[in-house]
Amino acid sequence: MAANTIAYQQILQELIASNTTLIAVSKTKPVEDILQLYHLGQRDFGENYVQELVDKAAQLPAGIHWHFIGHLQKNKAKYIAPFVYLIHGVDSLSLLTEINKQAKKNNRVIDCLLQVYITNEITKFGLNKSELINILNTILSTSENFQYIRIRGLMGMAGFTDNAAQIEAEFTYLRQLFDNCKVQFPQFAQFNFLSMGMSGDYKMAIACGSNMVRIGSLLFGSRS
Ligand SMILES: *Cc1c(COP(=O)(O)O)cnc(C)c1O
């Protein structure tokens, strides 16, 4: 097993023009594979599981930006709060409250993305538009409770389909929601990350306005 450094360089080239951040999704992959890309200059890595992330972070250079891209359970926020760089999948006010509490304990501000549900497939995770607007309004109206988190933008996942028009519609929807939030909520001054696109659909995501793609299998091979 090894990272695909050729694919890595190719993808980096593709992302330059749009100034898109590449998050190398290393879940289930060994630290050796992560180090391979680290030595080529990669600093943003994404993980889905808290224990795995904590174990890997302890073994790897401190300069890595660790992105938590899975679904974070409230009782596990404390384990990643000391070092996590960006939490992508936040989809409730209670989770945000817990992240804020753990960030405060660690005397730091934690950047978060709100996850939006953009497919019509059945999934437990993600906010719909009105839930998103409600959460943003609540954070603003009770901002004293959220001094240790910073909302940096939105995250979404397209459905598992080969239908390009469908994926395009889902990404476009999220992009428009992102743009609308920026206009409607200028108080979130650093609301500027739109995390969408994975190995199978990142080109479409970038065409639709993503500025942060989360790519795993193209870089590290398929997962068993
Ligand atoms: C695993 C995962 C990815 C990467 O998926 P690939 O298809 O391997 O690129 C991206 N985002 C999330 C949320 C994931 O769980």
Side-chain angles (χ1 to χ4, degrees):
M1 259 199 299
N4 186 337
T5 56
I6 295 172
Y8 173 67
Q9 302 290 5
Q10 272 170 2
I11 292 168
L12 275 190
Q13 283 306 313
E14 290 167 7
L15 301 187
I16 285 175
S18 54
N19 207 7
T20 302
T21 299
L22 171 62
I23 299 169
V25 176
S26 46
K27 63 184 177 213
T28 79
K29 301 298 177 181
V31 292
E32 291 74 22
D33 294 7
I34 296 174
L35 275 176
Q36 243 187 312
L37 295 193
Y38 177 85
H39 290 312
L40 295 177
Q42 179 66 23
R43 289 296 177 272
D44 292 274
F45 291 90
E47 290 281 341
N48 286 55
Y49 308 104
V50 167
Q51 189 58 51
E52 184 179 350
L53 170 53
V54 169
D55 290 346
K56 284 176 171 171
Q59 298 172 60
L60 287 161
I64 289 180
H65 296 162
W66 289 109
H67 295 252
F68 189 80
I69 64 171
H71 191 259
L72 183 59
Q73 289 172 275
K74 241 180 294 176
N75 60 348
K76 296 198 172 161
K78 58 177 175 283
Y79 300 115
I80 62 171
F83 65 91
V84 71
Y85 181 76
L86 180 63
I87 301 177
H88 289 236
V90 180
D91 65 357
S92 74
L93 208 52
S94 62
L95 177 57
L96 266 184
T97 303
E98 178 63 18
I99 295 169
N100 185 78
K101 178 177 157 191
Q102 298 301 332
K104 182 177 183 183
K105 275 190 188 163
N106 286 279
N107 194 28
R108 61 188 297 249
V109 171
I110 296 182
D111 283 346
C112 297
L113 303 181
L114 295 171
Q115 182 171 357
V116 179
Y117 173 80
I118 58 174
T119 87
N120 44 26
E121 290 169 11
I122 312 254
T123 144
K124 282 178 282 187
F125 306 127
L127 303 159
N128 65 30
K129 182 177 172 176
S130 65
E131 290 167 334
L132 171 67
I133 303 296
N134 279 341
I135 285 192
L136 292 172
N137 275 319
T138 304
I139 297 168
L140 284 182
S141 60
T142 55
S143 57
E144 67 281 4
N145 295 338
F146 297 102
Q147 288 176 11
Y148 296 88
I149 55 118
R150 192 161 42 205
I151 302 295
R152 297 298 309 270
L154 303 180
M155 180 266 208
M157 287 168 90
F160 292 100
T161 169
D162 316 325
N163 182 340
Q166 176 69 30
I167 295 173
E168 183 176 19
E170 292 168 1
F171 284 153
T172 299
Y173 173 78
L174 187 58
R175 162 68 190 278
Q176 287 171 349
L177 197 51
F178 176 71
D179 288 343
N180 291 344
C181 286
K182 276 196 192 195
V183 173
Q184 200 181 333
F185 297 98
Q187 301 92 332
F188 294 101
Q190 296 182 79
F191 192 95
N192 47 21
F193 293 148
L194 180 56
S195 169
M196 60 183 194
M198 309 174 24
S199 290
D201 55 21
Y202 74 94
K203 290 182 190 181
M204 177 72 86
I206 293 167
C208 294
S210 168
N211 58 27
M212 196 171 252
V213 291
R214 311 175 307 269
I215 297 183
S217 39
L218 283 181
L219 299 174
F220 295 111
S222 58
R223 295 173 295 271
S224 45

